Amino acid sequence: VTLDYITGYADQISVAPGETIRFMVSARGATAVAADVVRTRCGDRNPAGPGFSETPVVTGIEGRYPVEERHCPAGSYLRAPDSPRLQGLESFTLQVVVWPTLPGRAEQALLGTWSATARRGFVLLLDAQGVATLRLGDGQQVVDLSSGCPLQPRHWYLLAASYDAASGQLTLRQEPLARAADGDVPLDVKRDVRLGPLASTAPFLLAAWQVTPERVGGHYDGKLERPRVADRALSCQEIELLRGDNVPPALAQHLVAAWAFQDEIATTAVPDRSANALHAEAINLPARGMTDSTWRGTDRHWRDAPAQYAAIHFHHDDIYNAGWPATVTLPVPADLPSGLYALRLVAGDLEDRIPFAVRPPRGKATAPIAFLASSATWMAYGNLNPLPFDIAELLSGRLIQLTPANLLIDAHPEWGGSLYDVHADGSGVCYSSRLRPMLNMRPGYISSFGCQGSGLREFNADTHVVDWLDSTGQPYDVVTDEDLHAEGLDLLQRYRVVVTGTHPEYFSTAMLEAVRAWRDEGGRLMVLGGNGFYWRIAYHASLPGVMEVRRSGPAIRTWECQPGEDVQSFDGEIGGLWRHLGKAPQSSVGAGFVAEGFDVSSYYRRSPASRDPRAAFIFDGLEDVEIIGDFGCQGGGAAGVEIDRADLRLGTPAHALILGTSEGHTESYRLVNEEISIAIPNVTGGSNPRIAADLVFFESPGGGAVFNTGSIAWAGSLSHANYANNVARITSNVLRRFLDPSPIVRHRGSGK
Amino acid sequence: VTEAELLAELGQTREALFAEFDRTPVGHHSPALERLLLKFRGAPVTGKYVLLVLEPHRRWMLATLTGRRGDPVRPIDNRVFTDLLDAERAVFRLRWQALVGGPPA
């Protein structure tokens, strides 16, 4: 099945006026596209919603551009530098410890100089049946020496292969490190061959081989550990000696390379500890900081026990950067207002919009309000697909809807998954890059995990907030999570009010600390979403546009870290929920994730606390209203999709006002895992009173305040009745007071 | 299961279950209907009914999932809906029929 499409990605998510942003486009079924820039106003195509809205912007790039289908080179591997010491080897030993995860998927390269088209060089591989094999070729003749016994998935083996060019003898050793499976015994095989020179012009690669000078293939799935290359055929005893991290001096002169996967984990460098310093480079972000065959369960951090973390986990579906050439280069006009924009691409029936934020000029604010675009959330969910996902309909409580985007994501695993997906081998996707197409990060995208009605999440749900901001007429800037991570408190200090999107879920330490510090020195934060401030993430120190999560500990999670692998490789911080790292969302913004459900939403009932004079400004004009948000295009209510509650034990400030609480959620709403320490039967909306959203307000020490809706669906109610409704009124009331620079102070004796 | 066994398990009549579902395909349900829907919605992915969006928020085509990446759906060409709740009602009947091996479909 081949589907026509236009898609692409931008080299930046946030660009300042006067800077340049590039768009990389691939198309099938079109040879040219019409391109222009639009300001994204609302991406909701629901006829009952505010209406899909975008405004063309003249930038000078309007025009037709030739396009073609571009290859996305998925698959992680290591590349050693070109060196005659590797590529000129005639006699050699290759050895490596392996933990294959998909043996038998296809031929998978482990290490060597093999060129699949020149059929020259040497490589240790797993054959199409998962059998360890040494392959040699002189450009004419290809010979294989196979162990004859397939490797068991997720078992550790030492593989060692040698070739003595003078005698023509090949050897291969396959040694299971734990004898778990019947017949798992060490195997030694030999063969004599007569071959010409092997010298290869192909690079020495690990976990892949060269196909053409432009392409690699033969990707491996699984872990590799302690790869070594020697310049002659070693004895069994010498191979044994090379397994450790300290090379005996007598062997050192024959050691060509010994890559230390436990070194420089936070980088793309893979140091070679041999005298040759043939440091390799990791391409497409294989997972690092992985436990190796020696991990004892006594340490959980690669910094504490590096020798137990000498493994890298490769996947044939890892992708960092699609690397396509730029189709459209946009010099952003110096006077372009900050906002959410997209490059619009159209060819006949095919179209796509590649979103980006235009931030204010660097170092400046152009408005008192910042909309903090949840670019980390957008990336985390990038290409999450409801198929094939066997619990999708159970989660949503309604039939799954598949759009053309869903079918395209399914057809293009090489575009990479979301941080909710698992790789083809079942291990979790812990890195997500935006340098690849992400088809659900689009205006117009409909999700089966929104709610009945508009069915919006993440990027497209956030356009409801942008649409509402536009309706207020208040000027605002757009900044992204990446800007916040890079600039921290300095960025926030330029604003009086920060408004979040519908799902500000992912925060690096720098982001979270900046928000909390700004809050406490007078910042005014409006959290217009649910499941906020939830997971810790890391950004890479040198690679732009990529983030990491480690799904560790109790949490709503679609995969789990392997034991001992919950430390982020990008920065060495412990991964997981902020709740498990001492900064529960309740302690940041008053409420934290409690339940999710994707069928219908509900409403809030005002609390007696909402009558506190401290909250009078919030309910200005709504004094007689008891029920808030019993309408909306995200499930018919303002409380829904993912909902958050206050909890004093988790850090909701004691003086916080719980202005209202939602009620009447359906059976589709399930308590989140971290709320369940012992398995209980009443985990759904009908039977568990914890399942509700709290509307929270509290003042912060420096004259600032936090207002938190605790619900993703809130923004879907803002446009109801042409923005004249109690949800919009409350939100506008809060915005108006938060814009007023006079300190928001809780006078002693007022309230509780 | 037979229809009689299913209805005994759910403690409900067929007419009542259908009437309730037809009234509210998505949202609050009685315990009996919820239990039935968990069976339907929790079915394995292969052969599971889904909707293909023909026109966003306007037209959907019924399809079944194959469970295979790269070739995920089998459209059912003559089943096009212009109302999502009608699609839910139709799938409810198809699933009922498949579960108890008889009408109504």
Side-chain angles (χ1 to χ4, degrees):
Chain A
V1 186
T2 52
L3 303 166
D4 288 343
Y5 68 85
I6 305 172
T7 194
Y9 58 95
D11 64 350
Q12 293 165 87
I13 190 70
S14 177
V15 61
E19 297 176 355
T20 297
I21 181 171
R22 291 168 189 82
F23 300 91
M24 282 52 75
V25 178
S26 175
R28 186 183 181 92
T31 54
V33 296
D36 67 347
V37 173
V38 291
R39 181 150 182 186
T40 299
R41 304 289 184 180
C42 180
D44 186 0
R45 297 189 187 275
N46 182 0
F52 190 91
S53 171
E54 60 191 11
T55 314
V57 177
V58 177
T59 62
I61 61 94
E62 303 77 28
R64 282 175 66 77
Y65 293 82
V67 289
E68 59 187 89
E69 186 162 35
R70 301 290 179 183
H71 169 69
C72 186
S76 58
Y77 61 100
L78 308 184
R79 182 186 174 120
D82 283 335
S83 166
R85 290 178 186 279
L86 288 165
Q87 286 142 306
L89 283 171
E90 291 297 336
S91 296
F92 60 83
T93 297
L94 303 173
Q95 70 180 68
V96 64
V97 176
V98 301
W99 189 75
T101 48
L102 282 176
R105 176 182 61 80
E107 287 192 337
Q108 299 177 40
L110 302 174
L111 70 168
T113 61
W114 184 249
S115 164
T117 38
R119 303 182 68 70
R120 183 189 284 270
F122 54 86
V123 62
L124 184 56
L125 71 139
L126 304 183
D127 74 8
Q129 282 70 48
V131 178
T133 301
L134 174 63
R135 177 168 298 166
L136 308 182
D138 59 11
Q140 307 289 324
Q141 194 188 350
V142 176
V143 296
D144 279 359
L145 173 64
S146 151
S147 75
C149 181
L151 274 60
Q152 301 290 325
R154 295 175 185 266
H155 284 251
W156 289 104
Y157 297 83
L158 170 70
L159 301 179
S162 70
Y163 175 55
D164 183 86
S167 69
Q169 186 175 69
L170 303 180
T171 71
L172 176 61
R173 179 171 179 80
Q174 173 179 319
E175 180 190 341
L177 301 188
R179 312 258 174 101
D182 184 35
D184 255 359
V185 294
L187 299 171
D188 286 288
V189 291
K190 287 187 169 65
R191 180 180 172 185
D192 290 321
V193 298
R194 191 169 299 276
L195 282 170
L198 307 177
S200 174
T201 55
F204 190 101
L205 305 181
L206 296 96
W209 57 45
Q210 189 186 66
V211 177
T212 67
E214 292 77 36
R215 279 201 194 187
V216 299
H219 290 285
Y220 166 68
D221 292 286
K223 291 182 183 180
L224 297 181
E225 168 193 338
R226 294 184 167 82
R228 278 92 175 87
V229 182
D231 67 2
R232 64 171 171 78
L234 301 180
S235 68
C236 283
Q237 191 183 12
E238 289 168 325
I239 287 167
E240 198 57 30
L241 287 170
L242 270 193
R243 283 180 59 182
D245 290 326
N246 298 310
V247 179
L251 261 183
Q253 60 179 314
H254 295 291
L255 189 65
V256 177
W259 290 283
F261 291 178
Q262 66 270 45
D263 294 350
E264 302 292 331
I265 281 173
T267 75
T268 59
V270 182
D272 168 25
R273 289 191 185 176
S274 82
N276 299 321
L278 296 169
H279 310 311
E281 189 191 1
I283 293 155
N284 276 334
L285 289 170
R288 299 193 67 176
M290 297 282 111
T291 55
D292 69 29
S293 65
T294 70
W295 190 69
R296 297 170 59 212
T298 53
D299 293 276
R300 304 186 72 89
H301 199 306
W302 36 264
R303 212 179 270 143
D304 299 332
Q308 295 177 41
Y309 286 89
I312 293 179
H313 194 144
F314 299 87
H315 307 91
H316 78 270
D317 48 6
D318 279 324
I319 180 73
Y320 166 57
N321 188 342
W324 299 341
T327 305
V328 177
T329 298
L330 169 68
V332 179
D335 58 351
L336 194 64
S338 179
L340 211 52
Y341 291 82
L343 181 75
R344 180 168 63 180
L345 302 164
V346 180
D349 294 338
L350 301 174
E351 61 176 35
D352 195 28
R353 290 169 179 78
I354 304 173
F356 60 102
V358 173
R359 53 168 294 164
R362 291 185 191 277
K364 285 175 63 177
T366 61
I369 303 169
F371 173 63
L372 177 60
S374 297
S375 58
T377 297
W378 304 344
M379 284 167 61
Y381 285 89
N383 289 346
L384 175 63
N385 221 13
L387 83 155
F389 184 26
D390 54 4
I391 61 170
E393 192 186 340
L394 262 186
L395 294 183
S396 63
R398 54 203 174 95
L399 285 168
I400 295 300
Q401 296 181 39
L402 300 179
T403 66
N406 298 128
L407 300 177
L408 274 169
I409 293 169
D410 184 81
H412 291 275
E414 75 278 12
W415 293 345
S418 74
L419 295 179
Y420 292 79
D421 287 300
V422 293
H423 291 285
D425 73 358
S427 60
V429 175
C430 64
Y431 308 125
S432 178
S433 156
R434 55 174 171 70
L435 301 177
R436 60 180 177 120
M438 285 191 283
L439 275 61
N440 56 350
M441 194 182 97
R442 293 292 187 264
Y445 180 77
I446 297 168
S447 170
S448 291
F449 307 124
C451 263
Q452 187 180 39
S454 294
L456 305 189
R457 284 181 70 97
E458 295 104 36
F459 175 88
N460 208 20
D462 290 350
T463 69
H464 276 157
V465 178
V466 169
D467 173 66
W468 168 76
L469 279 169
D470 286 341
S471 80
T472 67
Q474 294 284 351
Y476 65 93
D477 284 348
V478 174
V479 296
T480 67
D481 287 339
E482 287 191 26
D483 298 311
L484 176 58
H485 177 78
E487 297 171 36
L489 189 56
D490 282 352
L491 177 75
L492 298 178
Q493 281 173 332
R494 295 176 206 136
Y495 296 97
R496 199 166 299 145
V497 182
V498 170
V499 177
T500 75
T502 58
H503 199 165
E505 181 177 357
Y506 289 86
F507 278 76
S508 69
T509 302
M511 290 164 62
L512 190 70
E513 289 183 348
V515 168
R516 289 167 66 112
W518 175 79
R519 175 197 67 186
D520 289 344
E521 62 175 45
R524 285 88 185 268
L525 179 64
M526 296 177 68
V527 181
L528 300 189
N531 183 13
F533 302 77
Y534 190 62
W535 286 101
R536 173 183 270 168
I537 55 163
Y539 286 103
H540 199 277
S542 60
L543 296 178
V546 62
M547 62 186 272
E548 175 178 20
V549 75
R550 294 285 166 138
R551 305 266 185 217
S552 154
I556 286 277
R557 60 211 191 280
T558 48
W559 55 269
E560 290 179 328
C561 292
Q562 289 283 301
E565 295 180 353
D566 51 5
V567 172
Q568 295 170 163
S569 64
F570 287 0
D571 63 3
E573 293 182 359
I574 303 163
L577 292 192
W578 279 110
R579 174 174 172 146
H580 304 315
L581 296 164
K583 290 192 174 74
Q586 287 86 349
S587 73
S588 294
V589 291
F593 196 19
V594 73
E596 64 178 15
F598 310 136
D599 56 352
V600 295
S601 302
S602 191
Y603 56 86
Y604 303 77
R605 184 181 296 280
R606 274 182 72 177
S607 68
S610 74
R611 305 289 173 179
D612 189 293
R614 290 159 56 205
F617 75 90
I618 300 172
F619 292 94
D620 178 50
L622 301 170
E623 287 76 10
D624 299 329
V625 169
E626 283 298 321
I627 299 298
I628 301 158
D630 54 343
F631 48 81
C633 53
Q634 285 268 65
V641 189
E642 301 193 14
I643 54 178
D644 297 358
R645 286 211 86 170
D647 191 332
L648 292 172
R649 296 165 305 170
L650 292 172
T652 301
H655 69 287
L657 295 176
I658 315 300
L659 306 168
T661 299
S662 68
E663 57 191 34
H665 290 284
T666 65
E667 291 287 330
S668 286
Y669 282 73
R670 293 142 280 113
L671 214 52
V672 294
N673 309 42
E674 63 272 23
E675 287 282 318
I676 306 170
S677 60
I678 188 161
I680 50 173
N682 58 329
V683 297
T684 55
S687 56
N688 194 304
R690 289 272 306 141
I691 295 181
D694 283 332
L695 195 61
V696 180
F697 166 76
F698 63 93
E699 303 87 346
S700 59
V706 174
F707 171 77
N708 187 349
T709 66
S711 162
I712 286 180
W714 181 272
S717 301
L718 289 165
S719 65
H720 180 75
N722 199 26
Y723 308 92
N725 63 76
N726 55 39
V727 168
R729 180 71 189 239
I730 287 171
T731 318
S732 299
N733 285 346
V734 171
L735 181 63
R736 188 179 315 110
R737 175 63 185 92
F738 279 18
L739 280 170
D740 177 346
S742 63
I744 303 173
V745 179
R746 174 185 168 230
H747 296 291
R748 284 209 174 275
S750 74
K752 53 182 180 174
Chain B
V1 293
T2 66
E3 185 174 295
E5 287 167 343
L6 179 65
L7 293 171
E9 177 194 333
L10 299 175
Q12 196 48 283
T13 66
R14 185 174 82 193
E15 291 68 27
L17 290 166
F18 275 72
E20 184 191 348
F21 187 84
D22 283 349
R23 209 162 46 240
T24 313
V26 176
H28 284 283
H29 299 120
S30 66
L33 179 57
E34 187 66 27
R35 185 171 178 137
L36 178 61
L37 290 174
L38 291 183
K39 290 179 195 285
F40 287 171
R41 292 174 172 155
V45 72
T46 304
K48 200 164 192 164
Y49 291 106
V50 292
L51 297 174
L52 299 176
V53 177
L54 302 179
E55 263 182 89
H57 297 285
R58 285 189 175 80
R59 288 200 313 135
W60 300 264
M61 183 182 284
L62 192 61
T64 55
L65 293 176
T66 64
R68 282 194 307 280
R69 185 155 194 183
D71 180 23
V73 289
R74 294 283 174 274
I76 303 172
D77 288 338
N78 57 353
R79 299 303 299 270
V80 173
F81 300 95
T82 55
D83 181 322
L84 273 180
L85 297 184
D86 283 345
E88 295 281 353
R89 293 178 186 112
V91 169
F92 185 79
R93 282 159 172 77
L94 289 166
R95 286 172 167 172
W96 178 275
Q97 187 178 46
L99 185 64
V100 302

